[in-house]
Amino acid sequence: MTIGKETPLMNVAYLYPWDVVGDPSAPGRLADLGVQTVALAAMYHSTRAATPYHPAHRVLDVPYPAFYLPIRPSSWSRLVPASPTWTPADAYLQARDALKAVGLQVHAWTVLTHNSHLGSANPDLVVRNAFGDPYPYALCPAHEDVIEYCERLVQEILEVGEPDGLILEACGPMGFGHQTVHEKTAGADWTPADIDLLSLCFCTNCTPRYPEPTRAAVRAAIDRTAATPTTTGTSHAPSTIEEALGSLADEVRTIRVAQSTTLRQRLISVARSTAANTPITLHANPDPWATGAFAPLPSGEPGADVLVANCWGDPATDATRLARLKDLSTPGQRIGAYVLALPPRPADPDVLADQLSTYSKAGASEFHLYHPGLASPQRLAALTKALRLHG
């Protein structure tokens, strides 16, 4: 299938190094899926992962974020990523070579500011909400040490890993939302506006940049939600972050977007100077208040080759987000849909193919598939058929 006349559809499968290392059947299984490229994690956060195909284990506990390339001490400054103990230190290289041997391209999936290991060890560099509470998993890109760490990370991946492409995730501030061990925050009944407010950083570098009343306005807005009786049927809490911030919203939004822009452009500059012809993919969100894996990109980024939007929710809402990214793109810039093939998505090829069609109509010319290494055989079969039905 082609999108228009000149843009061939590309399928990208996201994978962890441990999905391949120690499993000689993995590369062929991925090639049979119908993908051309694998997004292989080079730097990834902690997780607990199913490994339904691996001959040595079925569940892998990854207790801290790790770098899956050999660490050259002279290449780092204050912040140095950790090596894994659950895979070889060069797991990325081993997996890369195995995947390339069956004809697959390998892009380096790089998680940037999401790092609980470095955040816990360097609490002065993490996001803090308006009440001063730290988010240890979230390195704040307002700090030069954090930007420098991300620059060195990109350079090391390109020099040592020699990937066919670079994928930048969490290329901006992380926020309140974080699926961590035994999360116990849902009962507070915070609204979407509250979550956005709790995602604003008030660390020592961020606070002086905001207008003076910002912290007080954020705290008051969140406390209004808590004070509103839920039995009345009415609420005086703000429905959006703009409403909560009022006249402060424009300036705060500009400051927040500038943080992501600075980090993104410095990383693109490093990437281009290190490996000029390596394509760069950004996980992005056109919402200027976005935080997390898909950083805010309300004005586009001509320095990137691919812009990828999250498509894990309602397909119509996802398609609208994709269309907004498409509108922000430059001629020749590709748009990717980050497609969920895991629960709550059904293991139904017709439903999945219909979703793929929705995303391609919204402008997607790449499907980034999460996650063949985690999918059961039934889900993998459904995804394979869906790709063929759509293609």
Side-chain angles (χ1 to χ4, degrees):
M1 176 183 176
T2 59
I3 306 298
K5 293 183 178 180
E6 300 180 354
T7 308
L9 185 69
M10 187 166 77
N11 298 320
V12 182
Y14 282 62
L15 218 63
Y16 305 129
W18 60 79
D19 291 323
V20 180
V21 175
D23 183 1
S25 68
R29 186 166 59 249
L30 268 292
D32 292 343
L33 178 62
V35 302
Q36 297 77 40
T37 301
V38 168
L40 182 66
M43 178 73 222
Y44 199 73
H45 53 73
S46 57
T47 190
R48 181 171 181 257
T51 56
Y53 307 97
H54 204 282
H57 45 72
R58 285 295 172 270
V59 179
L60 192 69
D61 185 60
V62 178
Y64 55 84
F67 188 49
Y68 293 95
L69 288 161
I71 292 178
R72 304 186 295 183
S74 62
S75 298
W76 303 92
S77 184
R78 175 181 173 183
L79 300 182
V80 183
S83 290
T85 58
W86 48 92
T87 67
D90 64 345
Y92 178 91
L93 298 177
Q94 292 188 34
R96 179 203 66 186
D97 292 346
L99 293 164
K100 290 179 73 68
V102 298
L104 293 167
Q105 294 282 296
V106 178
H107 290 195
W109 179 15
T110 307
V111 176
L112 295 160
T113 62
H114 184 180
N115 194 309
S116 56
H117 171 75
L118 293 178
S120 297
N122 300 274
D124 59 311
L125 300 182
V126 304
V127 171
R128 290 178 180 268
N129 65 28
F131 297 86
D133 309 318
Y135 299 160
Y137 55 85
L139 297 174
C140 179
H143 295 275
E144 181 62 27
D145 283 339
V146 172
I147 297 177
E148 183 180 357
Y149 157 74
C150 293
E151 288 178 323
R152 290 170 183 261
L153 182 62
V154 164
Q155 186 170 356
E156 281 296 280
I157 286 171
L158 292 174
E159 288 184 354
V160 181
E162 299 181 311
D164 299 305
L166 177 68
I167 299 175
L168 300 179
E169 178 174 307
C171 191
M174 296 290 291
F176 173 80
H178 183 243
Q179 292 180 336
T180 187
V181 290
H182 303 297
E183 183 78 8
K184 302 290 184 181
T185 57
D189 289 330
W190 283 315
T191 67
D194 292 330
I195 298 304
D196 284 342
L197 291 166
L198 286 167
S199 295
L200 292 178
C201 182
F202 288 85
C203 70
T204 55
N205 275 19
C206 286
T207 301
R209 304 183 186 197
Y210 299 137
E212 193 279 329
T214 304
R215 183 196 291 266
V218 170
R219 294 172 64 137
I222 293 169
D223 286 344
R224 276 201 300 275
T225 298
T228 301
T230 57
T231 57
T232 64
T234 61
S235 174
H236 300 293
S239 59
T240 67
I241 189 170
E242 286 91 352
E243 182 183 343
L245 293 175
S247 62
L248 303 172
D250 288 346
E251 188 171 353
V252 173
R253 181 175 58 247
T254 298
I255 292 166
R256 292 285 289 176
V257 170
Q259 288 183 359
S260 296
T261 300
T262 296
L263 175 61
R264 181 178 69 249
Q265 292 183 348
R266 285 181 57 170
L267 296 185
I268 289 174
S269 177
V270 167
R272 296 304 184 203
S273 64
T274 306
N277 298 319
T278 300
I280 298 172
T281 295
L282 291 175
H283 284 191
N285 190 330
D287 180 357
W289 297 105
T291 57
F294 292 77
L297 194 76
S299 301
E301 176 48 73
D305 299 279
V306 186
L307 307 178
V308 176
N310 183 277
C311 293
W312 288 18
D314 171 67
T317 303
D318 295 338
T320 299
R321 188 182 303 112
L322 277 169
R324 289 174 63 194
L325 271 189
K326 179 66 175 176
D327 290 341
L328 294 170
S329 66
T330 58
Q333 197 171 51
R334 296 169 68 91
I335 301 299
Y338 197 54
V339 178
L340 181 64
L342 305 176
R345 297 292 198 242
D348 184 322
D350 294 318
V351 172
L352 292 174
D354 183 64
Q355 291 174 356
L356 297 180
S357 179
T358 297
Y359 301 145
S360 65
K361 289 175 183 176
S365 54
E366 296 190 7
F367 294 139
H368 289 233
L369 308 169
Y370 188 92
H371 177 305
L374 298 170
S376 67
Q378 294 81 7
R379 288 187 173 278
L380 206 60
L383 181 59
T384 302
K385 186 175 180 181
L387 292 172
R388 291 173 181 165
L389 287 172
H390 182 71

